[in-house]
Short mmCIF file of all heavy atoms in Angstrom, two decimals:
data_model
loop_
_atom_site.label_atom_id
_atom_site.label_comp_id
_atom_site.label_asym_id
_atom_site.label_seq_id
_atom_site.Cartn_x
_atom_site.Cartn_y
_atom_site.Cartn_z
N MET A 1 42.21 -2.52 -18.99
CA MET A 1 41.08 -1.69 -18.64
C MET A 1 41.36 -1.00 -17.30
O MET A 1 41.88 -1.63 -16.38
CB MET A 1 39.83 -2.57 -18.51
CG MET A 1 38.58 -1.92 -18.99
SD MET A 1 37.18 -3.05 -18.80
CE MET A 1 36.34 -2.69 -20.28
N LYS A 2 41.01 0.25 -17.19
CA LYS A 2 41.26 0.98 -15.96
C LYS A 2 40.25 0.57 -14.88
O LYS A 2 39.16 0.10 -15.18
CB LYS A 2 41.17 2.47 -16.22
CG LYS A 2 42.28 3.00 -17.08
CD LYS A 2 42.21 4.50 -17.18
CE LYS A 2 43.39 5.01 -17.99
NZ LYS A 2 43.41 6.45 -18.07
N LYS A 3 40.65 0.78 -13.64
CA LYS A 3 39.83 0.40 -12.50
C LYS A 3 38.47 1.12 -12.53
O LYS A 3 37.44 0.52 -12.25
CB LYS A 3 40.58 0.70 -11.21
CG LYS A 3 39.93 0.12 -9.99
CD LYS A 3 40.81 0.33 -8.77
CE LYS A 3 40.25 -0.38 -7.59
NZ LYS A 3 41.10 -0.27 -6.41
N ALA A 4 38.45 2.40 -12.88
CA ALA A 4 37.21 3.17 -12.93
C ALA A 4 36.26 2.61 -13.98
O ALA A 4 35.04 2.56 -13.78
CB ALA A 4 37.50 4.64 -13.20
N ALA A 5 36.80 2.17 -15.10
CA ALA A 5 35.97 1.60 -16.16
C ALA A 5 35.36 0.27 -15.71
O ALA A 5 34.20 -0.03 -16.02
CB ALA A 5 36.79 1.41 -17.43
N ILE A 6 36.11 -0.52 -14.97
CA ILE A 6 35.62 -1.80 -14.47
C ILE A 6 34.49 -1.56 -13.47
O ILE A 6 33.45 -2.23 -13.50
CB ILE A 6 36.76 -2.63 -13.84
CG1 ILE A 6 37.75 -3.05 -14.93
CG2 ILE A 6 36.22 -3.83 -13.11
CD1 ILE A 6 38.99 -3.70 -14.41
N VAL A 7 34.66 -0.58 -12.59
CA VAL A 7 33.62 -0.25 -11.61
C VAL A 7 32.36 0.23 -12.32
O VAL A 7 31.24 -0.18 -12.00
CB VAL A 7 34.13 0.79 -10.60
CG1 VAL A 7 33.01 1.30 -9.72
CG2 VAL A 7 35.26 0.21 -9.76
N SER A 8 32.52 1.10 -13.30
CA SER A 8 31.37 1.61 -14.05
C SER A 8 30.64 0.48 -14.78
O SER A 8 29.41 0.43 -14.79
CB SER A 8 31.82 2.66 -15.07
OG SER A 8 32.35 3.78 -14.41
N LEU A 9 31.39 -0.42 -15.39
CA LEU A 9 30.80 -1.54 -16.10
C LEU A 9 30.06 -2.46 -15.13
O LEU A 9 28.97 -2.96 -15.44
CB LEU A 9 31.89 -2.31 -16.85
CG LEU A 9 31.41 -3.47 -17.73
CD1 LEU A 9 30.44 -2.96 -18.79
CD2 LEU A 9 32.58 -4.16 -18.38
N THR A 10 30.61 -2.66 -13.94
CA THR A 10 29.97 -3.50 -12.93
C THR A 10 28.65 -2.88 -12.48
O THR A 10 27.63 -3.56 -12.37
CB THR A 10 30.90 -3.69 -11.72
OG1 THR A 10 32.13 -4.26 -12.17
CG2 THR A 10 30.27 -4.58 -10.68
N ILE A 11 28.64 -1.58 -12.23
CA ILE A 11 27.41 -0.89 -11.81
C ILE A 11 26.37 -0.94 -12.91
O ILE A 11 25.19 -1.19 -12.66
CB ILE A 11 27.73 0.56 -11.39
CG1 ILE A 11 28.56 0.56 -10.12
CG2 ILE A 11 26.46 1.38 -11.21
CD1 ILE A 11 29.11 1.91 -9.72
N LEU A 12 26.77 -0.72 -14.15
CA LEU A 12 25.84 -0.77 -15.28
C LEU A 12 25.25 -2.17 -15.43
O LEU A 12 24.04 -2.32 -15.63
CB LEU A 12 26.55 -0.35 -16.56
CG LEU A 12 25.72 -0.36 -17.83
CD1 LEU A 12 24.56 0.63 -17.71
CD2 LEU A 12 26.56 -0.03 -19.04
N THR A 13 26.06 -3.19 -15.30
CA THR A 13 25.58 -4.57 -15.41
C THR A 13 24.59 -4.86 -14.29
O THR A 13 23.54 -5.46 -14.52
CB THR A 13 26.76 -5.56 -15.33
OG1 THR A 13 27.68 -5.25 -16.38
CG2 THR A 13 26.28 -6.99 -15.48
N PHE A 14 24.89 -4.42 -13.08
CA PHE A 14 23.98 -4.61 -11.94
C PHE A 14 22.64 -3.93 -12.21
O PHE A 14 21.58 -4.52 -12.00
CB PHE A 14 24.63 -4.05 -10.68
CG PHE A 14 23.74 -4.07 -9.48
CD1 PHE A 14 23.55 -5.24 -8.77
CD2 PHE A 14 23.07 -2.92 -9.07
CE1 PHE A 14 22.71 -5.27 -7.67
CE2 PHE A 14 22.24 -2.94 -7.98
CZ PHE A 14 22.05 -4.12 -7.26
N ALA A 15 22.67 -2.69 -12.69
CA ALA A 15 21.44 -1.95 -12.96
C ALA A 15 20.60 -2.63 -14.03
O ALA A 15 19.38 -2.74 -13.90
CB ALA A 15 21.78 -0.52 -13.38
N ILE A 16 21.22 -3.13 -15.06
CA ILE A 16 20.49 -3.78 -16.15
C ILE A 16 19.86 -5.09 -15.67
O ILE A 16 18.75 -5.43 -16.06
CB ILE A 16 21.42 -4.03 -17.36
CG1 ILE A 16 21.78 -2.68 -18.01
CG2 ILE A 16 20.78 -4.97 -18.36
CD1 ILE A 16 22.85 -2.79 -19.08
N CYS A 17 20.54 -5.80 -14.80
CA CYS A 17 20.05 -7.10 -14.33
C CYS A 17 19.04 -7.00 -13.19
O CYS A 17 18.12 -7.80 -13.10
CB CYS A 17 21.23 -7.97 -13.88
SG CYS A 17 22.32 -8.43 -15.23
N ILE A 18 19.19 -6.04 -12.30
CA ILE A 18 18.38 -5.98 -11.07
C ILE A 18 17.20 -5.03 -11.18
O ILE A 18 16.11 -5.33 -10.69
CB ILE A 18 19.27 -5.58 -9.87
CG1 ILE A 18 20.37 -6.61 -9.67
CG2 ILE A 18 18.44 -5.42 -8.60
CD1 ILE A 18 19.88 -8.02 -9.39
N LEU A 19 17.35 -3.90 -11.79
CA LEU A 19 16.28 -2.88 -11.80
C LEU A 19 14.96 -3.36 -12.40
O LEU A 19 13.90 -2.98 -11.89
CB LEU A 19 16.76 -1.61 -12.48
CG LEU A 19 17.79 -0.81 -11.68
CD1 LEU A 19 18.20 0.44 -12.44
CD2 LEU A 19 17.26 -0.44 -10.31
N PRO A 20 14.94 -4.17 -13.44
CA PRO A 20 13.63 -4.62 -13.94
C PRO A 20 12.82 -5.41 -12.90
O PRO A 20 11.60 -5.41 -12.94
CB PRO A 20 13.99 -5.52 -15.13
CG PRO A 20 15.32 -5.04 -15.57
CD PRO A 20 16.02 -4.59 -14.32
N PHE A 21 13.48 -6.05 -11.95
CA PHE A 21 12.78 -6.83 -10.94
C PHE A 21 12.27 -5.97 -9.79
O PHE A 21 11.42 -6.39 -9.03
CB PHE A 21 13.69 -7.93 -10.40
CG PHE A 21 14.10 -8.91 -11.45
CD1 PHE A 21 15.38 -8.92 -11.97
CD2 PHE A 21 13.17 -9.82 -11.96
CE1 PHE A 21 15.74 -9.82 -12.95
CE2 PHE A 21 13.53 -10.72 -12.94
CZ PHE A 21 14.82 -10.72 -13.45
N SER A 22 12.78 -4.76 -9.63
CA SER A 22 12.34 -3.91 -8.53
C SER A 22 10.90 -3.45 -8.73
O SER A 22 10.19 -3.19 -7.77
CB SER A 22 13.27 -2.71 -8.37
OG SER A 22 13.22 -1.89 -9.51
N GLU A 23 10.42 -3.33 -9.96
CA GLU A 23 9.03 -2.95 -10.22
C GLU A 23 8.08 -4.03 -9.75
O GLU A 23 7.01 -3.74 -9.21
CB GLU A 23 8.81 -2.70 -11.72
CG GLU A 23 8.63 -1.24 -12.04
CD GLU A 23 8.30 -1.04 -13.49
OE1 GLU A 23 7.17 -1.37 -13.88
OE2 GLU A 23 9.17 -0.55 -14.22
N ALA A 24 8.42 -5.28 -9.92
CA ALA A 24 7.55 -6.38 -9.50
C ALA A 24 7.38 -6.40 -8.00
O ALA A 24 6.33 -6.77 -7.48
CB ALA A 24 8.12 -7.71 -9.99
N ALA A 25 8.39 -5.98 -7.26
CA ALA A 25 8.31 -5.96 -5.81
C ALA A 25 7.46 -4.80 -5.30
O ALA A 25 7.07 -4.77 -4.15
CB ALA A 25 9.71 -5.88 -5.22
N ALA A 26 7.15 -3.82 -6.15
CA ALA A 26 6.40 -2.64 -5.74
C ALA A 26 4.91 -2.79 -6.03
O ALA A 26 4.21 -1.81 -6.22
CB ALA A 26 6.96 -1.42 -6.46
N GLU A 27 4.40 -4.01 -6.05
CA GLU A 27 2.98 -4.22 -6.34
C GLU A 27 2.11 -3.75 -5.18
O GLU A 27 2.56 -3.64 -4.05
CB GLU A 27 2.73 -5.71 -6.59
CG GLU A 27 3.37 -6.22 -7.86
CD GLU A 27 3.09 -7.69 -8.07
OE1 GLU A 27 2.17 -8.23 -7.44
OE2 GLU A 27 3.80 -8.28 -8.89
N VAL A 28 0.85 -3.50 -5.47
CA VAL A 28 -0.11 -3.09 -4.45
C VAL A 28 -0.39 -4.28 -3.54
O VAL A 28 -0.62 -5.39 -4.03
CB VAL A 28 -1.42 -2.60 -5.11
CG1 VAL A 28 -2.45 -2.26 -4.07
CG2 VAL A 28 -1.14 -1.42 -6.02
N PRO A 29 -0.39 -4.08 -2.22
CA PRO A 29 -0.65 -5.21 -1.31
C PRO A 29 -2.09 -5.70 -1.43
O PRO A 29 -3.00 -4.94 -1.77
CB PRO A 29 -0.38 -4.63 0.07
CG PRO A 29 -0.53 -3.17 -0.09
CD PRO A 29 -0.14 -2.85 -1.50
N GLY A 30 -2.31 -6.97 -1.14
CA GLY A 30 -3.64 -7.56 -1.24
C GLY A 30 -4.54 -7.23 -0.06
O GLY A 30 -5.74 -7.44 -0.12
N LEU A 31 -3.97 -6.70 1.02
CA LEU A 31 -4.74 -6.38 2.22
C LEU A 31 -4.60 -4.90 2.54
O LEU A 31 -3.57 -4.29 2.27
CB LEU A 31 -4.25 -7.19 3.42
CG LEU A 31 -4.35 -8.70 3.30
CD1 LEU A 31 -3.68 -9.36 4.51
CD2 LEU A 31 -5.80 -9.14 3.23
N ILE A 32 -5.65 -4.34 3.13
CA ILE A 32 -5.61 -2.95 3.58
C ILE A 32 -5.68 -2.97 5.10
O ILE A 32 -6.63 -3.49 5.67
CB ILE A 32 -6.79 -2.15 3.01
CG1 ILE A 32 -6.73 -2.12 1.49
CG2 ILE A 32 -6.79 -0.73 3.58
CD1 ILE A 32 -7.96 -1.50 0.85
N ASN A 33 -4.67 -2.42 5.76
CA ASN A 33 -4.66 -2.34 7.21
C ASN A 33 -5.25 -0.99 7.61
O ASN A 33 -4.74 0.06 7.23
CB ASN A 33 -3.23 -2.48 7.73
CG ASN A 33 -3.18 -2.53 9.23
OD1 ASN A 33 -4.18 -2.66 9.91
ND2 ASN A 33 -1.97 -2.43 9.77
N PHE A 34 -6.34 -1.00 8.36
CA PHE A 34 -7.01 0.24 8.74
C PHE A 34 -7.57 0.13 10.14
O PHE A 34 -8.11 -0.91 10.51
CB PHE A 34 -8.15 0.55 7.76
CG PHE A 34 -8.83 1.86 8.03
CD1 PHE A 34 -8.27 3.04 7.62
CD2 PHE A 34 -10.02 1.88 8.73
CE1 PHE A 34 -8.90 4.25 7.89
CE2 PHE A 34 -10.66 3.08 9.01
CZ PHE A 34 -10.09 4.26 8.58
N GLN A 35 -7.41 1.15 10.93
CA GLN A 35 -8.00 1.20 12.25
C GLN A 35 -8.94 2.39 12.32
O GLN A 35 -8.72 3.41 11.67
CB GLN A 35 -6.94 1.36 13.33
CG GLN A 35 -6.17 0.11 13.63
CD GLN A 35 -5.22 0.34 14.79
OE1 GLN A 35 -4.43 1.28 14.77
NE2 GLN A 35 -5.32 -0.49 15.79
N GLY A 36 -9.98 2.27 13.13
CA GLY A 36 -10.91 3.38 13.32
C GLY A 36 -11.63 3.23 14.64
O GLY A 36 -11.31 2.38 15.45
N LYS A 37 -12.61 4.07 14.86
CA LYS A 37 -13.42 3.97 16.06
C LYS A 37 -14.87 4.14 15.67
O LYS A 37 -15.20 4.86 14.73
CB LYS A 37 -12.99 5.01 17.10
CG LYS A 37 -13.08 6.44 16.63
CD LYS A 37 -12.57 7.39 17.69
CE LYS A 37 -12.65 8.82 17.18
NZ LYS A 37 -12.19 9.77 18.18
N LEU A 38 -15.74 3.47 16.38
CA LEU A 38 -17.16 3.50 16.10
C LEU A 38 -17.82 4.56 16.99
O LEU A 38 -17.71 4.51 18.21
CB LEU A 38 -17.77 2.12 16.34
CG LEU A 38 -19.20 1.91 15.91
CD1 LEU A 38 -19.37 2.18 14.42
CD2 LEU A 38 -19.65 0.50 16.25
N THR A 39 -18.47 5.54 16.36
CA THR A 39 -19.10 6.63 17.11
C THR A 39 -20.56 6.78 16.70
O THR A 39 -20.98 6.33 15.64
CB THR A 39 -18.39 7.97 16.86
OG1 THR A 39 -18.49 8.29 15.48
CG2 THR A 39 -16.93 7.92 17.27
N ASN A 40 -21.31 7.44 17.56
CA ASN A 40 -22.68 7.84 17.23
C ASN A 40 -22.63 9.04 16.30
O ASN A 40 -21.56 9.62 16.05
CB ASN A 40 -23.44 8.20 18.52
CG ASN A 40 -23.66 6.99 19.40
OD1 ASN A 40 -24.08 5.94 18.94
ND2 ASN A 40 -23.35 7.14 20.69
N SER A 41 -23.78 9.47 15.81
CA SER A 41 -23.81 10.60 14.88
C SER A 41 -23.32 11.90 15.52
O SER A 41 -22.87 12.80 14.83
CB SER A 41 -25.22 10.79 14.32
OG SER A 41 -26.14 11.00 15.38
N ASP A 42 -23.37 12.00 16.86
CA ASP A 42 -22.87 13.21 17.54
C ASP A 42 -21.38 13.12 17.88
O ASP A 42 -20.82 14.02 18.49
CB ASP A 42 -23.69 13.50 18.79
CG ASP A 42 -23.58 12.42 19.86
OD1 ASP A 42 -22.89 11.41 19.63
OD2 ASP A 42 -24.22 12.58 20.92
N GLY A 43 -20.73 12.02 17.51
CA GLY A 43 -19.29 11.88 17.71
C GLY A 43 -18.88 11.15 18.98
O GLY A 43 -17.70 10.92 19.19
N THR A 44 -19.84 10.79 19.83
CA THR A 44 -19.50 10.06 21.05
C THR A 44 -19.28 8.59 20.73
O THR A 44 -19.90 8.04 19.82
CB THR A 44 -20.60 10.21 22.12
OG1 THR A 44 -21.83 9.69 21.60
CG2 THR A 44 -20.79 11.65 22.54
N LEU A 45 -18.39 7.96 21.49
CA LEU A 45 -18.10 6.54 21.28
C LEU A 45 -19.33 5.69 21.61
O LEU A 45 -20.07 6.00 22.55
CB LEU A 45 -16.93 6.10 22.14
CG LEU A 45 -15.57 6.71 21.82
CD1 LEU A 45 -14.54 6.31 22.86
CD2 LEU A 45 -15.11 6.29 20.45
N VAL A 46 -19.55 4.63 20.88
CA VAL A 46 -20.66 3.71 21.17
C VAL A 46 -20.25 2.79 22.32
O VAL A 46 -19.07 2.63 22.61
CB VAL A 46 -21.06 2.87 19.93
CG1 VAL A 46 -21.54 3.75 18.81
CG2 VAL A 46 -19.93 1.99 19.48
N ASN A 47 -21.22 2.21 22.98
CA ASN A 47 -20.96 1.29 24.07
C ASN A 47 -20.33 0.01 23.54
O ASN A 47 -20.52 -0.36 22.38
CB ASN A 47 -22.25 0.95 24.81
CG ASN A 47 -22.82 2.16 25.54
OD1 ASN A 47 -22.09 3.01 26.01
ND2 ASN A 47 -24.14 2.22 25.63
N ASN A 48 -19.58 -0.67 24.39
CA ASN A 48 -19.02 -1.96 24.02
C ASN A 48 -20.15 -2.92 23.69
O ASN A 48 -21.21 -2.89 24.31
CB ASN A 48 -18.17 -2.54 25.16
CG ASN A 48 -16.87 -1.80 25.34
OD1 ASN A 48 -16.40 -1.13 24.43
ND2 ASN A 48 -16.30 -1.90 26.53
N GLY A 49 -19.95 -3.76 22.72
CA GLY A 49 -20.95 -4.74 22.32
C GLY A 49 -20.65 -5.28 20.95
O GLY A 49 -19.60 -5.01 20.36
N GLN A 50 -21.59 -6.03 20.41
CA GLN A 50 -21.46 -6.59 19.07
C GLN A 50 -22.32 -5.78 18.12
O GLN A 50 -23.48 -5.48 18.41
CB GLN A 50 -21.89 -8.05 19.06
CG GLN A 50 -20.97 -8.95 19.86
CD GLN A 50 -21.36 -10.41 19.74
OE1 GLN A 50 -22.32 -10.77 19.06
NE2 GLN A 50 -20.60 -11.28 20.39
N TYR A 51 -21.74 -5.42 16.97
CA TYR A 51 -22.43 -4.61 15.98
C TYR A 51 -22.21 -5.23 14.61
O TYR A 51 -21.15 -5.79 14.33
CB TYR A 51 -21.91 -3.17 15.99
CG TYR A 51 -22.15 -2.45 17.30
CD1 TYR A 51 -21.21 -2.49 18.31
CD2 TYR A 51 -23.33 -1.76 17.51
CE1 TYR A 51 -21.42 -1.84 19.52
CE2 TYR A 51 -23.56 -1.10 18.71
CZ TYR A 51 -22.60 -1.15 19.71
OH TYR A 51 -22.83 -0.51 20.90
N GLN A 52 -23.18 -5.10 13.75
CA GLN A 52 -23.02 -5.54 12.36
C GLN A 52 -22.64 -4.32 11.54
O GLN A 52 -23.32 -3.29 11.57
CB GLN A 52 -24.31 -6.15 11.82
CG GLN A 52 -24.15 -6.65 10.40
CD GLN A 52 -25.42 -7.33 9.90
OE1 GLN A 52 -26.37 -7.54 10.64
NE2 GLN A 52 -25.43 -7.67 8.64
N LEU A 53 -21.52 -4.41 10.84
CA LEU A 53 -21.03 -3.30 10.04
C LEU A 53 -20.98 -3.70 8.58
O LEU A 53 -20.67 -4.83 8.24
CB LEU A 53 -19.62 -2.90 10.49
CG LEU A 53 -19.45 -2.52 11.95
CD1 LEU A 53 -17.98 -2.30 12.27
CD2 LEU A 53 -20.25 -1.28 12.29
N ASN A 54 -21.28 -2.75 7.71
CA ASN A 54 -21.16 -2.94 6.27
C ASN A 54 -20.16 -1.92 5.74
O ASN A 54 -20.25 -0.73 6.05
CB ASN A 54 -22.50 -2.75 5.56
CG ASN A 54 -23.50 -3.79 5.97
OD1 ASN A 54 -23.19 -4.97 5.98
ND2 ASN A 54 -24.71 -3.38 6.32
N PHE A 55 -19.19 -2.39 4.96
CA PHE A 55 -18.19 -1.51 4.38
C PHE A 55 -18.37 -1.48 2.88
O PHE A 55 -18.66 -2.48 2.24
CB PHE A 55 -16.78 -2.01 4.70
CG PHE A 55 -16.41 -1.88 6.14
CD1 PHE A 55 -16.65 -2.91 7.03
CD2 PHE A 55 -15.83 -0.71 6.60
CE1 PHE A 55 -16.32 -2.79 8.36
CE2 PHE A 55 -15.48 -0.58 7.94
CZ PHE A 55 -15.73 -1.62 8.82
N LYS A 56 -18.20 -0.30 2.31
CA LYS A 56 -18.27 -0.14 0.87
C LYS A 56 -17.06 0.65 0.40
O LYS A 56 -16.66 1.61 1.05
CB LYS A 56 -19.54 0.61 0.46
CG LYS A 56 -20.81 -0.13 0.76
CD LYS A 56 -22.02 0.68 0.31
CE LYS A 56 -23.30 -0.07 0.66
NZ LYS A 56 -24.48 0.68 0.26
N LEU A 57 -16.48 0.25 -0.69
CA LEU A 57 -15.41 0.99 -1.34
C LEU A 57 -15.97 1.58 -2.62
O LEU A 57 -16.48 0.85 -3.47
CB LEU A 57 -14.22 0.09 -1.64
CG LEU A 57 -13.56 -0.55 -0.42
CD1 LEU A 57 -12.47 -1.50 -0.87
CD2 LEU A 57 -13.01 0.50 0.50
N CYS A 58 -15.92 2.88 -2.76
CA CYS A 58 -16.48 3.56 -3.93
C CYS A 58 -15.39 4.31 -4.68
O CYS A 58 -14.37 4.69 -4.10
CB CYS A 58 -17.56 4.55 -3.48
SG CYS A 58 -18.91 3.75 -2.59
N ASP A 59 -15.63 4.53 -5.96
CA ASP A 59 -14.65 5.23 -6.77
C ASP A 59 -14.91 6.74 -6.83
O ASP A 59 -14.21 7.48 -7.48
CB ASP A 59 -14.57 4.65 -8.18
CG ASP A 59 -15.89 4.73 -8.93
OD1 ASP A 59 -16.88 5.22 -8.35
OD2 ASP A 59 -15.95 4.29 -10.08
N SER A 60 -15.97 7.19 -6.12
CA SER A 60 -16.29 8.61 -6.10
C SER A 60 -17.06 8.92 -4.82
O SER A 60 -17.73 8.05 -4.26
CB SER A 60 -17.15 8.94 -7.32
OG SER A 60 -17.57 10.28 -7.28
N VAL A 61 -16.97 10.15 -4.34
CA VAL A 61 -17.68 10.53 -3.13
C VAL A 61 -19.18 10.48 -3.37
O VAL A 61 -19.95 10.01 -2.53
CB VAL A 61 -17.24 11.94 -2.68
CG1 VAL A 61 -18.07 12.40 -1.48
CG2 VAL A 61 -15.77 11.96 -2.34
N THR A 62 -19.62 10.94 -4.52
CA THR A 62 -21.05 10.88 -4.87
C THR A 62 -21.20 10.12 -6.17
O THR A 62 -20.35 10.19 -7.06
CB THR A 62 -21.64 12.29 -5.06
OG1 THR A 62 -20.92 12.97 -6.07
CG2 THR A 62 -21.56 13.08 -3.77
N ASP A 63 -22.26 9.37 -6.29
CA ASP A 63 -22.58 8.58 -7.50
C ASP A 63 -21.47 7.60 -7.88
O ASP A 63 -21.24 7.32 -9.04
CB ASP A 63 -22.84 9.52 -8.71
CG ASP A 63 -24.02 10.44 -8.45
OD1 ASP A 63 -24.96 10.01 -7.77
OD2 ASP A 63 -23.99 11.59 -8.93
N GLY A 64 -20.77 7.08 -6.89
CA GLY A 64 -19.72 6.11 -7.17
C GLY A 64 -20.27 4.72 -7.40
O GLY A 64 -21.42 4.42 -7.09
N THR A 65 -19.47 3.87 -7.98
CA THR A 65 -19.86 2.48 -8.21
C THR A 65 -19.05 1.57 -7.34
O THR A 65 -17.97 1.88 -6.91
CB THR A 65 -19.65 2.09 -9.68
OG1 THR A 65 -18.30 2.35 -10.03
CG2 THR A 65 -20.57 2.87 -10.58
#
């Protein structure tokens, strides 16, 4: 067997064995890292202190669930 054929066969074997596992590593992470700032309705920063915040994730801008 020629050297080029051996290299091609090695690459093909690697692709068949390894590529199916690369999809499993591309899963969506379980955590969302997000930073922001808390402002008043006019855009000015709020004073330092303790605040109760509620977060919602919606599937639409309006009428989302």
Side-chain angles (χ1 to χ4, degrees):
M1 216 180 220
K2 292 186 177 183
K3 190 174 186 177
I6 293 172
V7 171
S8 296
L9 184 59
T10 303
I11 292 171
L12 180 62
T13 303
F14 174 79
I16 290 171
C17 293
I18 300 299
L19 289 180
F21 297 107
S22 64
E23 252 185 72
E27 293 181 16
V28 177
L31 299 173
I32 299 172
N33 185 10
F34 183 80
Q35 284 185 307
K37 59 183 179 179
L38 188 58
T39 62
N40 292 313
S41 58
D42 64 359
T44 60
L45 294 173
V46 298
N47 293 327
N48 288 338
Q50 293 185 359
Y51 297 91
Q52 182 176 354
L53 303 174
N54 295 312
F55 291 90
K56 295 181 182 179
L57 299 175
C58 301
D59 60 359
S60 176
V61 175
T62 58
D63 299 326
T65 56

